[in-house]
Amino acid sequence: MIGSQGYLAMVLHAHLPFVRHPEYPDFLEEDWFYEAVVETYVPLLSRFERLRSEQIPFKLTMTVTPPLATMMDDGLLRSRLAHYIDQRLILLEKEIRNNRGSHVEVLARHYFSEFSIAKDFVFHRHGGHLLNSLRSLQDSGHLEIVTCTATHGFVPLMKSSSAIQSQIYTAVGSYEHFFGRKPRGIWLAECGYDDRVDAVLGDAGIEYLFLDSHGILLGDPQPSYGVYAPVITEAGINAFARDPESSKQVWSQKEGYPGDFVYREFYRDLGYDADFDYIKSTLHSDQIRRGIGVKYHAITGADIDLGAKQFYDPAKAKEKAAEHAGNFMFNRQQQVKYLRGQTQNPPIIVSPYDAELFGHWWYEGPQFLEFLIRKMAFDQSDVELIACSDYLDRHPIRQIQKPNPSTWGSEGHNLVWLNGGNAWIYRHQHWAEEKMESLSTRFADAQGDLRRALNQLLRELLLLQSSDWAFIMTTGTTVSYANKRFREHLDRFRMIASQIESNSLDMKFISFCEERDCIFPKADFTSAIPRFYPQSVYA
C-alpha cells in the first residue's frame, strides 16, 4: 500500500535461554521451550500460514534468537517435545471420559484439539522443524526475521568492545546458518543500548535496531518527530523507538487487554487442582506438582481468589479478542490521523512485545493478532502493517542523532540486570571477557586442537553472558538454576583457558563441552580480537 498515511510495525521478540539437558530423562526448565512451542509459536505460525493461504496481506517483524533457533533445530528437544504433547493428550482423553456432560468436558475437548493441532503442525506439516515455517514465511514476504545478540547478552554491562563484537558476529553467523541470508535488523537484548555497538553493527552489515522510547526522546539532538520516525546514528545505524501508547494497550495486564475478565486465567492450572495420583503420570520424574498447560478458569474479576474463579468460555473470549483488535486498530488510526501532519514522512508506530506474551501469558493473544491482521487488510484507513526494513527502503531521509543509553527494563536503565542480587556475576564475566580477548589475540593463527579449544572457550563465554541468568536472579523464579548455569559455564571457561595457557589440552573434556551445549557449531574465536572501527557519517 504505497502512499499509506501511516504505518504500524508489530515486532514480536521470540527468545528463550539455551536449555538442553541430555544428562537427565526430563528437566523442569526444558518445559519453557515445550510450553512456548505449544502455546505461542504454533498458534502464531499456524495463523500466519492460514492468512497467507487466504492471500490476506500482512507483514510483521519477529526476532528469533540464536538459542531459540538452535533449540528448534535440536533432535533431542524435538523428541521430548513430542513426548510432552503426547502426555497431555493422554491426560485430556481421561478428562473427557471422566467429565461427560459437564463444562469441564467441553474445555478438555478444546485443549485436546489445541494439543493435537500443535502436534500435527510441528511433526506432520513441518516434519518436526519449526524453522521451516519461519523460513517459508520470511521467503514469502510475510515475516521479517531479525537477529539478536548471540545468547541474549546484555551489551551495556559488557566491559570490552571485543565482547560486544563476539556477541554480534556470532549472532549474524548463526542467523545465516539457519535462514540462508544476512539479517537486516537486530534486537539488542532487553533493548540495551550504548553507542559502542554502532560501529560493530555497521561492520556486521546490520542496518537497524530497536530502542525504548527514551532512547530516542532523550537523544542528542532531540528528535524532530518523537518516536514516530527512525533516527540514524553517525555510524549509519537506524534506530526505531517503541511507541508507549500501543505497547501499554497490549502489554499491561492491569490496564491493557490481557487483563479482561473473560480471558483465561494463567495461574490456575490442572497440575495443581487435580488429585496427585490422577495427575502424577503427567509430572516429571521428580513428581513435583507444576503447571501442565491445562487451565479451565477465567480471570473473572480483580483481586478474586484463584479458588473462586469461574469457568473459562472460549467463545466469549474469542469475541472479546475480536473486539479488542478492532479497538487497537481504531486507536492506531487516530494516532496516524493526529501525527500525519507533524512528520516529514508518514509516521511509523512501532509496537514491540515479547512473542511469548501472545499465547503463553495472554492465551487469546494469537487470536487478537489474527483479527487485527484481517481487520487491517479490509480497512480503508491507510494504516499499513510494515516491516522496518521496508520503511527504510521507502523513506531514506532521516535525522542524525546520538541515541541515549537505555533499556526497556524497569525504570528504563540497567536496574534489572545490575542490583544486589546479581552484581556478583560481573567481576567474573569481565575477567572472562578480558581473558578471551587476550588469548584470542595471542593465538590468532591457531589451528587444529588449539583452534577447537579457543572456539569452545568463546562458546562458554557467550553462554555465561546470557542476560537471562541476571534476569532470573532479579525476579526470583528459578534462581538456583540461573546460579548453576552461570557457574558451570564460568568453571568450564576457567578450565579451558588454563589448558590453553599451559599447553595441556584435554580434548576429551573439550568434546564433552561441545556435545553438552551444542550451540554455535561455527563459532569463531577470532571475533574476540579487537578491531578498529572508523566512524562513517550517514550522507
Side-chain angles (χ1 to χ4, degrees), residues 4-7 224-226 228-229 332-349 382 391:
S4 299
Q5 293 301 300
Y7 304 100
S224 299
Y225 308 117
Y228 301 107
R332 304 295 76 75
Q333 292 168 354
Q334 298 310 301
Q335 271 187 289
V336 165
K337 192 181 206 179
Y338 172 75
L339 294 166
R340 183 60 187 99
Q342 303 179 36
T343 55
Q344 181 179 13
N345 295 318
I348 181 169
I349 299 167
D382 293 327
Y391 183 94

Side-chain angles (χ1 to χ4, degrees), residues 363-377:
Y363 181 63
E364 298 77 13
Q367 290 179 332
F368 164 88
L369 199 53
E370 180 178 4
F371 281 128
L372 177 64
I373 290 169
R374 290 182 183 278
K375 288 174 184 293
M376 291 190 69

Side-chain angles (χ1 to χ4, degrees), residues 249-505:
Q249 280 184 308
V250 173
W251 171 83
S252 174
Q253 186 175 11
K254 290 186 176 179
E255 301 174 53
Y257 305 134
D260 193 281
F261 296 162
V262 305
Y263 286 148
R264 191 186 75 166
E265 170 61 56
F266 175 80
Y267 291 100
R268 186 164 176 185
D269 190 284
L270 187 63
Y272 298 102
D273 282 353
D275 288 340
F276 177 78
D277 288 340
Y278 186 81
I279 204 76
K280 67 180 182 180
S281 62
T282 313
L283 300 175
H284 284 293
S285 53
D286 61 14
Q287 294 292 279
I288 296 174
R289 282 186 181 268
R290 52 182 54 95
I292 59 173
V294 178
K295 306 173 194 293
Y296 289 150
H297 296 83
I299 294 172
T300 307
D303 302 321
I304 291 181
D305 185 78
L306 284 179
K309 301 286 184 177
Q310 297 175 358
F311 279 122
Y312 176 62
D313 186 332
K316 284 185 179 179
K318 185 176 182 180
E319 290 176 5
K320 186 61 68 172
E323 177 187 325
H324 283 154
N327 177 261
F328 185 84
M329 182 180 71
F330 172 79
N331 289 331
R332 304 295 76 75
Q333 292 168 354
Q334 298 310 301
Q335 271 187 289
V336 165
K337 192 181 206 179
Y338 172 75
L339 294 166
R340 183 60 187 99
Q342 303 179 36
T343 55
Q344 181 179 13
N345 295 318
I348 181 169
I349 299 167
V350 179
S351 302
Y353 313 97
D354 283 329
E356 292 76 24
L357 169 67
F358 294 83
H360 177 64
W361 296 105
W362 179 22
Y363 181 63
E364 298 77 13
Q367 290 179 332
F368 164 88
L369 199 53
E370 180 178 4
F371 281 128
L372 177 64
I373 290 169
R374 290 182 183 278
K375 288 174 184 293
M376 291 190 69
F378 294 105
D379 179 64
Q380 301 301 315
S381 68
D382 293 327
V383 179
E384 180 185 353
L385 280 170
I386 197 171
C388 291
S389 62
D390 292 336
Y391 183 94
L392 298 177
D393 292 341
R394 296 184 195 181
H395 306 290
I397 299 175
R398 288 175 288 286
Q399 178 183 2
I400 297 177
Q401 188 200 57
K402 182 176 182 179
N404 191 59
S406 52
T407 78
W408 78 339
S410 177
E411 300 186 28
H413 52 86
N414 300 342
L415 178 64
V416 173
W417 302 278
L418 180 60
N419 55 65
N422 56 29
W424 65 271
I425 70 175
Y426 290 104
R427 66 181 181 272
H428 303 292
Q429 179 178 311
H430 294 162
W431 170 83
E433 291 173 5
E434 291 175 345
K435 181 65 70 173
M436 187 76 234
E437 180 178 309
S438 171
L439 292 176
S440 296
T441 303
R442 179 179 169 187
F443 298 107
D445 297 324
Q447 299 297 324
D449 287 346
L450 179 57
R451 188 176 191 90
R452 268 183 69 189
L454 286 162
N455 288 341
Q456 187 58 35
L457 192 71
L458 175 61
R459 291 186 192 98
E460 301 298 343
L461 173 62
L462 294 171
L463 286 164
L464 72 86
Q465 286 174 322
S466 170
S467 70
D468 299 286
W469 314 138
F471 180 83
I472 291 170
M473 292 172 196
T474 297
T475 58
T477 48
T478 54
V479 175
S480 61
Y481 181 71
N483 283 330
K484 178 175 180 287
R485 284 295 301 274
F486 181 86
R487 292 178 186 278
E488 280 183 350
H489 295 301
L490 180 63
D491 288 347
R492 291 176 199 167
F493 184 96
R494 290 183 186 278
M495 291 179 68
I496 296 170
S498 176
Q499 291 175 17
I500 292 170
E501 290 178 315
S502 62
N503 193 26
S504 56
L505 296 180

Side-chain angles (χ1 to χ4, degrees), residues 112-129:
F112 187 88
S113 174
E114 293 282 303
F115 281 103
S116 298
I117 288 170
K119 183 176 181 179
D120 180 74
F121 185 85
V122 176
F123 295 103
H124 299 140
R125 185 175 179 86
H126 292 292
H129 297 277

Side-chain angles (χ1 to χ4, degrees), residues 60 220 224 352 520:
L60 304 177
D220 183 24
S224 299
F520 309 128

